[in-house]
Amino acid sequence: MEHLAYLDAGSGSLIVQAVVGGVAGAAVAAKLYWRRLVDRFRRQPTDQR
Amino acid sequence: MAISPTEVRPEPASFRDPANRVFHVGDEVLRGLDPQAAAHWRALTGSTFFPALVAARKVCATEDAPPTLVPAATGTPWAAVLRHERIPFVSHPYEWSFSMLRDAALLHLEILTAALGEGFTTKDGSAYNLQWRGAQPVFIDIGSFEPMRDGEPWAGYRQFCQTVLYPLMLTAHLGVDFQPWLRARVDGIEADELRPLFNGARRLRPGVLTHLHLHGAMQHRNAAASTTEVRDQLRAAGFSRELLLATVRGIEKLVGKLDRRPPESHWSDYQRTCGYSARDRVAKEQFVAVAVAAGTRPRLVLDLGANDGRYSRLAAGHADYVVAVEQDPTVVDELYRQLRSEGQRRILPLVLDLADPSPGGGWRGVERAGFAERASADVVLALAVVHHLAIGRNVPLPEVIDWLAGLTAPGGAVVVEFVHPEDPMATRLLANKPAGLFPDYRRDAFETLLAARGRITDRLELPSGTRTLYRTVMGG
Ligand SMILES: C[S@@+](CC[C@H](N)C(=O)[O-])C[C@H]1O[C@@H](n2cnc3c(N)ncnc32)[C@H](O)[C@@H]1O
């Protein structure tokens, strides 16, 4: 379900909370960025067609 | 201005979250809830943390009220209506001292932590979620509680940084007063505004690298990503409630570490250097005590230029609530810390320059009410402060008295000390201005002005002979 809060939490402000959450948080952030990277590479071939 | 007891007045500061809205009816503070907010409220009353926080007086007391009491904007009635405990005097974070903002912040985080422990969260993180009962902060935004969704960070984090953490860092790390910054911006300080001030070695101050620089950079880098998308990505990457709790704990630790470095303040040593003889002091204290107690028990006393709060404490012995106003943030911070250690619930210290009081702010300039609009006191104390305005700030005497009258509720009294031009303190101020600039700064002229605006009921010249105290019933 899509959830929208009345307050714009700010995308960067959400991610940075993982980064400041110690080792476990850094792992979450790393995973998020890794997935974004992988997604980009996966998408690229289709983009070039 | 007479307000009819049943007139419903929407609170101008309560519109940002359409799920609920605060109204005033007479003296009552009511909040209308839409169906979802009403469901959240019912869940909240069934929790253990919420009633415990109310019992500890950390959250404002709240009860169900008949839903017919306030009209909903849409025409369909609110699903529920709540009645809140009244906060004796509403103040804004830019009127608080450093330690006040810090204690308010710690309470917000404590409440968030308690909520998270039972599957709730607060949907925002604003300093404006808090108010004061004397020197005790109290969380007022009941509409902010909602069930948390696992795997999501705190939605209020950015707002917390802007209205709480950055202002605290500004003062703790750089020695710059945060009040003018907060007053200028209803949404607080943006990371981008503050980052240039934290360059070089200042980056290494606690919290700066992460909560300010990294946070700011992340905001830029993710400006195009929607928060819905990012929430999903974070959940998929394994963001957990434990992680959220660890993050909040980290912020709490940081806030607890931030401390102000008090600058040398001319006024903090005032009581030692003020030059009152013991006889003057005793006479003044007696006069003020009798003057405050003279009429019906005052609900609100304003102490203007309160310094160390000596007369605020005296007044609190005869009144329900005292607001101690003082321009010097260091002096207010010291007073606050003392009042806090005494568990004082009836004296509220505020930082305010009387010659430049808080104007209305936010949307249409009414979202944050100006000081003049909030201040309607049964007794106004203006002790040894008129000369600072009349001589120090060039405010014409008639204006000073009109202004005092304006702060007084109908039938209320002004207790004012006039420092004669011959008094050493007045002489010192006059010496900084061209001779003859204030020909009307005289005791007889002052008294005539006072008598024209009210009825002088008591008058006392202090033993030193250079100061006179008056109790005047305004408009009487
Ligand atoms: C002479 S002391 C009087 C203190 C106390 N009312 C008494 O009678 O002992 C003046 C106080 O007024 C404060 N003050 C002076 N000008 C002010 C202003 N424009 N706004 C707020 N406070 C001011 C000073 O900081 C100082 O603490």
Side-chain angles (χ1 to χ4, degrees), chain A residues 3 6 8 11 13 17 36, chain B residues 124 149 154 215 222 225 233:
Chain A
H3 167 80
Y6 89 92
D8 181 357
S11 296
S13 306
Q17 289 180 66
R36 279 187 177 181
Chain B
D124 45 28
R149 288 164 299 276
W154 183 27
H215 188 182
N222 291 278
Q233 291 173 351

Side-chain angles (χ1 to χ4, degrees), chain B residues 267 270 284 305 307 311 326-327 352-354 383-384 393:
Chain B
W267 284 112
Y270 164 70
K284 180 169 165 179
N307 196 266
Y311 295 96
E326 167 60 48
Q327 68 179 353
L352 197 102
D353 178 357
L354 295 168
L383 304 171
R393 309 292 280 269

